[in-house]
Amino acid sequence: QVQLVESGGGLVQPGGSLRLSCAASGSISSFATMGWYRQAAGKQRERVARISSEGTTTYADSVKGRFTISGDNAKSTVYLQMNSLKPEDTAVYYCNAFAAWTDYWGQGTQVTVSS
């Protein structure tokens, strides 16, 4: 089955940057869409960014201009570059992929933005 493995989370100061990686077990071009979601403690999961197989990207208003989603077909990996991080960005970030009418999810990686 499809497996997604996230990495790159950690502790960073406000205004800092992190790059999250999502390594897929197969070619990322085989997925209709891939995206990043996040869930903060006590809050509902929300979609942060999404990219289609054609390269079209969408972002949540809260991260627009600060986050960038991209893919590397050779490495079968999708990235989320996060700049100008704020404390409210603190959450568990999950990688998602959609193909053949099925959603796949990674295990999640913790991002904490704090002084």
Side-chain angles (χ1 to χ4, degrees):
Q1 292 185 334
V2 172
Q3 289 187 321
L4 305 173
V5 181
E6 302 101 330
S7 62
L11 175 64
V12 65
Q13 293 184 338
S17 298
L18 284 174
R19 188 177 73 164
L20 305 183
S21 299
C22 174
S25 59
S27 173
I28 60 174
S29 64
S30 67
F31 299 109
T33 64
M34 295 192 70
W36 289 94
Y37 293 70
R38 69 185 182 188
Q39 186 168 23
K43 298 182 179 180
Q44 293 184 316
R45 182 187 65 183
E46 64 174 343
R47 188 168 68 197
V48 175
R50 199 165 191 169
I51 186 169
S52 74
S53 61
E54 300 299 322
T56 302
T57 59
T58 57
Y59 299 92
D61 289 341
S62 59
V63 307
K64 194 172 298 182
R66 299 188 297 119
F67 291 11
T68 303
I69 187 171
S70 62
D72 186 333
N73 290 334
K75 296 183 178 180
S76 297
T77 300
V78 170
Y79 303 96
L80 184 68
Q81 179 66 47
M82 305 185 294
N83 298 325
S84 302
L85 284 163
K86 305 174 181 179
E88 51 263 43
D89 294 319
T90 296
V92 177
Y93 284 71
Y94 297 92
C95 182
N96 167 264
F98 180 78
W101 309 106
T102 303
D103 270 313
Y104 302 92
W105 295 93
Q107 297 299 119
T109 185
Q110 176 71 47
V111 172
T112 302
V113 184
S114 176
S115 298

